[in-house]
Amino acid sequence: MERPAWAPRSIDITVPSVSRIYDYYLGGSHNFEVDREAARKAMTYMPGLPKIMQANRAFMRRAVRYAVGTGIDQFLDIGSGIPTFGNVHEVAQAERPGARVVYVDHDPVAVAHSGAVLDGNEDADVVAADLRKPQEILASPQVERLIDLNRPVALLLVAILHFVEDADDPYGAVAQLRDALAPGSLLVLTHASYEGIPLPAERAEGAVDVYKDIRNPLIMRSRDEIARFFEGYDMVEPGLVPMPHWRPESAPEDEDPYAFSGFAGVGIAA
């Protein structure tokens, strides 16, 4: 397999990557055949997976605009993935020029491509780091340069926590990040769940097994389990809801049924 120019030499292009699979679902070009093969296999069980990812992105953009509307001009996007059109810095800086954004991902392709996209943008940067090590993120030079933790920050954990197993203490990691943020900060979160998927859970499990097979287990949590991530936050209306129901800009009933899979919410730190 020929290695494209944008692929860092350090990565194994024969092993699927969650961020590159996500890029494929969104119609991006920064993925390999091994990623596309895994995505297509998952879609044999859940053909609406691209619709779920599109609903995630649409929610993220609405939440960023909401954050800017509350006066927030700092964004920390962990598990940001490979940049696509309408990413956080584009939305935030269009609404508020000078808004500062730090992306965080542990996938080398996501980090390399983010760096290329952000070249020349003094108000945005990317960190190669892992959500499971929040102190490394907070102590990074990029965060120290761009994010003032004494002022409110929008922390984005969009479609990332369902890739963190309970053994890696995702609740503890989110709590550490919360404790580092100033009052008035926002937690913007989406999470996969069997609740809301328009097919039997037994069939959806086939797609979950694909992620297990590529050693990136997809942890489907209940609404109550997802709500626990918001401990220490007051929920913004309408609360923790299916993505199309969070402050929609178009009629939710017009959305694809798969868009209602999983939950989205925004909380404000007390």
Side-chain angles (χ1 to χ4, degrees), residues 66 185-187 230-237 239 265-270:
Y66 168 81
S185 293
L186 297 180
L187 172 60
F230 286 96
E231 288 182 2
Y233 292 89
D234 295 323
M235 295 302 295
V236 171
E237 289 294 331
V266 175
I268 183 166

Side-chain angles (χ1 to χ4, degrees), residues 176-200:
Q176 285 186 55
L177 291 164
R178 177 200 65 213
D179 292 346
L181 302 180
S185 293
L186 297 180
L187 172 60
V188 176
L189 181 152
T190 67
H191 198 297
S193 176
Y194 285 121
E195 298 174 42
I197 295 177
L199 46 73

Side-chain angles (χ1 to χ4, degrees), residues 39-211:
R40 289 191 292 263
K41 186 175 180 181
M43 288 170 63
T44 63
Y45 299 99
M46 287 180 62
L49 279 166
K51 294 294 183 183
I52 297 173
M53 308 313 163
Q54 291 163 18
N56 263 281
R57 300 293 292 184
F59 161 77
M60 177 273 289
R61 290 190 284 267
R62 295 196 304 277
V64 168
R65 286 192 287 268
Y66 168 81
V68 173
T70 68
I72 288 179
D73 60 0
Q74 309 184 98
F75 297 82
L76 181 59
D77 183 1
I78 302 179
S80 51
I82 296 167
T84 56
F85 176 76
N87 224 40
V88 173
H89 74 282
E90 293 173 326
V91 177
Q93 292 173 354
E95 297 282 325
R96 183 160 183 170
R100 295 186 162 195
V101 178
V102 175
Y103 294 113
V104 181
D105 209 285
H106 65 78
D107 185 302
V109 170
V111 174
H113 192 47
S114 296
V117 167
L118 298 174
D119 186 36
N121 188 332
E122 292 298 317
D123 294 318
D125 210 338
V126 60
V127 179
D130 194 312
L131 169 61
R132 292 169 292 190
K133 298 178 179 178
Q135 295 307 320
E136 290 185 11
I137 296 172
L138 295 168
S140 67
Q142 298 91 330
V143 169
E144 290 188 346
R145 180 176 76 87
L146 288 173
I147 305 295
D148 179 359
L149 294 174
N150 294 311
R151 297 194 299 112
V153 176
L155 170 64
L156 285 85
L157 300 175
V158 175
I160 178 63
L161 284 164
H162 47 236
F163 291 114
V164 183
E165 298 179 83
D166 287 342
D168 289 322
D169 193 17
Y171 296 103
V174 174
Q176 285 186 55
L177 291 164
R178 177 200 65 213
D179 292 346
L181 302 180
S185 293
L186 297 180
L187 172 60
V188 176
L189 181 152
T190 67
H191 198 297
S193 176
Y194 285 121
E195 298 174 42
I197 295 177
L199 46 73
E202 297 76 23
R203 184 165 177 80
E205 283 174 5
V208 172
D209 287 343
V210 171
Y211 284 90

Side-chain angles (χ1 to χ4, degrees), residues 243-255:
M243 292 174 285
H245 286 305
W246 198 89
R247 303 190 174 224
E249 295 171 348
S250 58
E253 56 267 26
D254 294 337
E255 293 283 351

